[in-house]
Amino acid sequence: QVQLVESGGGLVQAGGSLRLSCAASGNIISINAMGWYRQAPGKQRELVATITSGAMTNYADSVKGRFTISRDNGKNTVSLEMNSLKLEDTAVYYCEADQIRTFDRRGLRVVTLADAWGQGTLVTVSS
């Protein structure tokens, strides 16, 4: 099975910076796109940024110019560098990967998974 694990969350002052990382593990052949989503208390989950295997990126308007997403296809990792953090950035951040090509448990077939999610990492921005 494919697993995603996030790291790097924590407490930071407004105006500060934080870097989140996510590593996908398993018998992975390739991943189409990876991204970051976030969910604040009492609110719906929202897209923060995505990046394809070809390095095409997409950002939410609220984070453009402040956040930068990057990935390493060989290591199956994705990072989110967050700068000039604001109070409204406080949320649980989730890592996501889609269209994951992987070998099954017997190693005999290639199976494509629609998506996989990490368990999230909390980012708290204080004044």
Side-chain angles (χ1 to χ4, degrees):
Q1 291 184 331
V2 174
Q3 293 184 318
L4 274 64
V5 180
E6 303 99 335
S7 63
L11 176 65
V12 63
Q13 294 243 343
S17 300
L18 206 61
R19 183 180 175 86
L20 305 182
S21 297
C22 173
S25 62
N27 299 123
I28 297 169
I29 300 170
S30 65
I31 300 172
N32 178 34
M34 302 185 77
W36 290 93
Y37 295 75
R38 68 186 181 188
Q39 186 168 25
K43 295 186 177 181
Q44 290 187 291
R45 186 189 68 182
E46 64 175 351
L47 182 148
V48 177
T50 60
I51 183 167
T52 68
S53 60
M56 292 182 64
T57 59
N58 181 49
Y59 295 91
D61 288 340
S62 60
V63 307
K64 285 182 179 178
R66 299 191 297 120
F67 292 9
T68 302
I69 188 170
S70 61
R71 69 184 286 178
D72 186 322
N73 293 335
K75 296 181 178 179
N76 293 317
T77 59
V78 63
S79 297
L80 184 70
E81 186 171 345
M82 305 182 292
N83 299 313
S84 301
L85 283 162
K86 304 175 180 180
L87 294 178
E88 51 263 45
D89 293 321
T90 295
V92 176
Y93 284 71
Y94 297 91
C95 175
E96 185 262 358
D98 65 48
Q99 297 299 306
I100 308 160
R101 297 184 72 236
T102 183
F103 287 106
D104 67 2
R105 287 178 290 181
R106 297 172 64 184
L108 299 176
R109 292 178 176 272
V110 176
V111 178
T112 300
L113 303 177
D115 57 34
W117 291 84
Q119 291 186 310
T121 185
L122 178 63
V123 173
T124 302
V125 183
S126 64
S127 61

